[in-house]
Amino acid sequence: MSNQRTGPGGESPDSRLASVLRFSTELVAWVATPWALWSLSVPLALLSVVVLIGLPTVFTTPGDKAHGMIPVPGAVTVVLVLMQLAAAVVSAWTAWSAPVAIVVSLLAVACVVTEIPRWRWLAVR
């Protein structure tokens, strides 16, 4: 049995593993980014949470998620995921110890590897 969630309407080939790794990396970004920015600017730290959670919630590629307010091309969704990954890795290296940042970096690499089928699908949307 395949772990791909591809539906009859041509929905995203998003595996459960990819979803779990993507969500885990997003959680890290949501925590680490404001943590890293807090000492620089509290408003900027709070804004980072709004951007990291808000943009992917509002802008979605049709067929990729069941919800979303504004449809965008697949490339935009890929860029939003890359933004989350970059925020997680850079913020982890800025805010936390090297061993934790290494784990976050490995998580991000695993996420990229599992996202490739979805990103290929998004590229043609």
Side-chain angles (χ1 to χ4, degrees):
M1 179 157 78
S2 172
N3 67 349
Q4 297 287 320
R5 293 184 287 154
T6 304
E11 290 91 6
S12 171
D14 193 12
S15 72
R16 287 189 184 169
L17 177 60
S19 293
V20 167
L21 292 174
R22 186 174 58 252
F23 182 68
S24 299
T25 308
E26 289 172 347
L27 278 175
V28 171
W30 301 343
V31 172
T33 303
W35 191 323
L37 293 172
W38 195 266
S39 63
L40 296 173
S41 168
V42 173
L44 187 58
L46 297 174
L47 179 62
S48 74
V49 175
V50 172
V51 169
L52 289 169
I53 294 173
L55 289 181
T57 301
V58 172
F59 299 103
T60 58
T61 301
D64 188 43
K65 291 184 182 178
H67 64 281
M69 300 161 92
I70 301 172
V72 295
V76 174
T77 298
V78 173
V79 168
L80 290 173
V81 173
L82 289 170
M83 176 189 68
Q84 297 272 357
L85 293 170
V89 171
V90 170
S91 298
W93 280 100
T94 302
W96 299 333
S97 66
V100 174
I102 289 169
V103 170
V104 170
S105 299
L106 293 173
L107 174 65
V109 168
C111 182
V112 168
V113 169
T114 60
E115 283 285 295
I116 290 172
R118 178 174 172 249
W119 289 353
R120 285 185 181 138
W121 179 85
L122 285 165
V124 297
R125 297 291 178 255

